[in-house]
Amino acid sequence: MPIEDRDDAYLITHALAKDTLSRLRDVNTEQVAFRKGLVKLGRICGYEVIDGVMDTEYVSIRTPLAETTGERVKGLDDVVIINVLRAATPFVEGLLKAFPRAKQGVISAGRDEEAGMDEEGEFPITIDYVKLPEIRERDTVIVADPMLATGSTMCTVLDHVLAEAPDFENLFVLSAVSAPEGLLRVGEAYPQADLLTVAIDDRLDDDGFIVPGLGDAGDRAFRTT
C-alpha cells in the first residue's frame, strides 16, 4: 500500500517518494537539485494524499463518441495548504501541482537555536508572520513542513491554525522526514491530526536535529550555509 499505518504516523511508501528522499539525503546533492527534489517530493506526496484519503464520485460525461461514466475526486476545491516558512516553500510548490486550486496560508515560524532544547526536548518558537485564508468546515487542511524534529514548531503552528478555525473536515501534518519524538509530541497534543511522513528516522541528536535526517532543509534549499 502506498500509505501504511505505523501507529504514530502514516508512512508514504511510494517507490518514487523513497527514491527522491534518498537523493535529498545525499550530502553531495547540490542546492538546485535539492530544491527541485523537494518540489518533486511534494508533488508525489500530494498525489498520495489524493489517492489514499480523498473520496471519488461517479459522473456522467460525454466523449466525442458516446455517453459514459467517469470518476472524479471529491473535494479538490476544498483544500487549504499551510506553508511553514521557509523550508516548506519548495515542498508546497510540489503540493500545489497536485492541488492547483488549493487556498494557501503562510506561517513564518522558527526555533531559537541559541536557547537550545529544554529538559522536555522542546525549543522556544518565534512566530514572525501569520496569514491564513478562510478555513471552512468542509475544508481539508494540510500543514506542510519537510522536517518534523522535536515537534515544537509544528505544535506552535497548529495552535495558530486551530485558533483561527477550530472545526474543519480533515487535518493533515505532512513532512518528508520525522523523528519519533516529534511524532509523539504532535500526536499527543493534536489527536485530531493525521500525521503523514515519507520516513521515520532513528532519533534526535543533542542539538535537536534528526538523525540520519537530511541536514537543514531550508539552508540546503536556499543555499544559506
Side-chain angles (χ1 to χ4, degrees):
M1 292 289 293
I3 298 181
E4 295 180 0
D5 188 350
R6 293 292 182 88
D7 295 330
D8 289 337
Y10 292 94
L11 197 65
I12 296 173
T13 60
H14 194 288
L16 281 176
K18 293 188 288 187
D19 177 271
T20 304
L21 179 58
S22 294
R23 297 174 190 275
L24 290 171
R25 289 189 190 272
D26 191 338
V27 69
N28 294 312
T29 298
E30 50 82 37
Q31 178 229 354
V32 173
F34 187 89
R35 190 175 65 248
K36 288 183 176 180
L38 276 179
V39 174
K40 180 179 179 180
L41 189 60
R43 184 179 74 248
I44 295 167
C45 289
Y47 291 148
E48 289 304 290
V49 170
I50 292 171
D51 187 58
V53 303
M54 301 190 78
D55 295 327
T56 61
E57 60 183 348
Y58 292 103
V59 295
S60 296
I61 55 175
R62 180 172 182 82
T63 77
L65 300 177
E67 295 282 347
T68 189
T69 299
E71 196 170 358
R72 288 181 177 159
V73 179
K74 296 172 63 177
L76 287 178
D77 289 340
D78 303 321
V79 174
V80 178
I81 298 174
I82 309 298
N83 180 351
V84 181
L85 292 179
R86 67 183 166 153
T89 299
F91 197 43
V92 167
E93 182 182 340
L95 280 170
L96 290 171
K97 295 180 185 298
F99 300 102
R101 293 181 57 81
K103 292 182 289 186
Q104 296 180 64
V106 173
I107 297 181
S108 176
R111 64 190 193 183
D112 187 341
E113 302 285 358
E114 291 186 3
M117 286 193 298
D118 62 20
E119 293 181 355
E120 301 299 322
E122 297 184 72
F123 281 88
I125 303 299
T126 300
I127 299 290
D128 295 316
Y129 179 78
V130 177
K131 183 66 174 179
L132 299 176
E134 178 189 5
I135 300 175
R136 304 160 299 182
E137 289 187 5
R138 65 177 182 270
D139 285 337
T140 291
V141 177
I142 302 171
V143 183
D145 191 348
M147 310 297 291
L148 179 58
T150 67
S152 304
T153 300
M154 185 55 68
C155 285
T156 304
V157 167
L158 291 174
D159 282 345
H160 280 76
V161 173
L162 293 172
E164 291 282 336
D167 186 25
F168 45 84
E169 187 72 19
N170 297 301
L171 173 60
F172 296 105
V173 171
L174 177 64
S175 58
V177 178
S178 300
E181 298 91 332
L183 291 172
L184 183 62
R185 176 167 286 114
V186 175
E188 288 182 345
Y190 302 95
Q192 70 270 48
D194 288 320
L195 311 183
L196 302 171
T197 186
V198 181
I200 302 173
D201 277 13
D202 298 338
R203 61 183 176 86
L204 295 173
D205 67 12
D206 292 340
D207 296 317
F209 287 95
I210 302 172
V211 179
L214 51 73
D216 188 306
D219 284 343
R220 293 188 68 188
F222 294 99
R223 201 178 175 189
T224 51
T225 53

